[in-house]
Amino acid sequence: MRVKTLFMVSVMVVCANVGDLMLKRGMARIGEVQPSLTGLARAFPLTVSNGSIWIGIIFLSGFMLSYMTVLSWADYSYVMPAGAFGYAVLTLLAVVFLHEAVSPRRWLGVIFICVGVLLVGQTKPRTTTATVSEAVA
């Protein structure tokens, strides 16, 4: 149970981070979108024709599927903190691929998140008993 749960949480983190990174990259190519009908009308064709955005959508769909799957195996109180490791990964990806500057205070926050994820990872993924429908499946 623990191995497959950790594997699926890893898939969830990778899919979410790659999806977010690709959406950011695609939207950076489009530029600032004005919150008006004219601005949205200008941005819409650019958005639907942008390959980076479609790749991001595909990976975020993978995130949603893996998230739903892991929630069927493990407690929400386990999945959400374990998935928070993605914030650390995303920060690192933003520095490497998007060339963003991250302040020392943000890095300290990332370290705290990683420590919390390590603490949660030491607990059992499921503290509740399986329901009748889960036991049959």
Side-chain angles (χ1 to χ4, degrees):
M1 169 89 159
R2 175 174 260 153
V3 173
K4 76 175 183 177
T5 302
L6 289 176
F7 174 76
M8 195 55 74
V9 167
S10 299
V11 169
M12 185 179 86
V13 167
V14 168
C15 284
N17 286 306
V18 172
D20 287 342
L21 187 71
M22 295 307 290
L23 283 181
K24 169 64 177 164
R25 181 172 276 176
M27 290 309 295
R29 289 181 185 158
I30 290 171
E32 185 176 340
V33 177
Q34 299 299 321
S36 65
L37 287 177
T38 307
L40 294 174
R42 183 193 76 74
F44 184 76
L46 296 172
T47 302
V48 296
S49 64
N50 190 306
S52 294
I53 290 176
W54 283 108
I55 292 170
I57 289 170
I58 290 167
F59 273 94
L60 288 173
S61 297
F63 158 76
M64 184 56 66
L65 292 173
S66 60
Y67 181 56
M68 289 187 302
T69 302
V70 78
L71 281 176
S72 73
W73 299 337
D75 293 343
Y76 184 73
S77 60
Y78 179 87
V79 174
M80 284 310 296
F85 183 67
Y87 295 121
V89 174
L90 193 56
T91 303
L92 185 62
L93 292 175
V95 169
V96 172
F97 291 107
L98 301 176
H99 309 292
E100 293 184 2
V102 178
S103 69
R105 181 176 278 184
R106 286 188 189 177
W107 281 119
L108 184 61
V110 167
I111 290 169
F112 282 135
I113 289 170
C114 291
V115 169
V117 168
L118 289 173
L119 289 173
V120 169
Q122 300 304 311
T123 64
K124 292 180 182 178
R126 184 172 209 135
T127 58
T128 56
T129 57
T131 63
V132 174
S133 63
E134 290 173 337
V136 172

